[in-house]
Amino acid sequence: MKDVRPAELLDGIRTVAAGESLLSPGPTARLIARALSAPEPPALGGGAGPGSLSDRERQVLALVARGLNNTEIAETLGLSPLTAKTHVSRIMGKLGARDRTQLVIVAYESGLVVPGGP
């Protein structure tokens, strides 16, 4: 800070030279206050939960969570790969997920898929 006293500056230099970190109390307090007053971010882009999906979409989501790609999902469910891809895209839209990784997270956190399950 511009208004730091010479003794405080020397203490700060010694602290950093010793490999420790140094935070000024004023800015740190303001940062913490700002973080505490910020609203919680919506989960996964604010989309709905898996309960909003159709039965087929829940099946597809479970297969995505098991690591299957669109071709494998299509073969498992007797669909065309394009239809499987469309299902995945629609699920991502409904859940507000930006990628397949987030779909896997939703599937596990909602209990649709459990570790070690079938």
Side-chain angles (χ1 to χ4, degrees):
M1 302 297 295
K2 293 179 186 180
D3 60 348
V4 68
R5 296 187 324 241
E8 291 176 297
L9 179 59
L10 287 174
D11 286 341
I13 292 171
R14 287 184 189 106
T15 300
V16 173
E20 298 179 34
S21 53
L22 179 68
L23 297 174
S24 179
T28 302
R30 288 191 296 275
L31 178 63
I32 291 170
R34 181 183 292 170
L36 292 175
S37 67
E40 287 284 325
L44 299 180
S52 66
L53 302 177
S54 70
D55 289 340
R56 176 62 88 185
E57 288 169 334
R58 279 192 293 281
Q59 288 175 324
V60 171
L61 177 58
L63 295 173
V64 168
R66 294 282 177 221
L68 276 66
N69 64 32
N70 292 340
T71 302
E72 294 165 334
I73 291 169
E75 290 171 1
T76 301
L77 298 177
L79 307 171
S80 75
L82 182 58
T83 300
K85 181 178 180 179
T86 300
H87 279 304
V88 172
S89 295
R90 287 188 181 155
I91 294 165
M92 288 174 69
K94 284 183 177 183
L95 298 180
R98 70 175 169 267
D99 54 31
R100 291 173 82 100
T101 302
Q102 285 190 329
L103 291 181
V104 172
I105 292 168
V106 169
Y108 277 92
E109 286 184 347
S110 69
L112 180 65
V113 177
V114 294

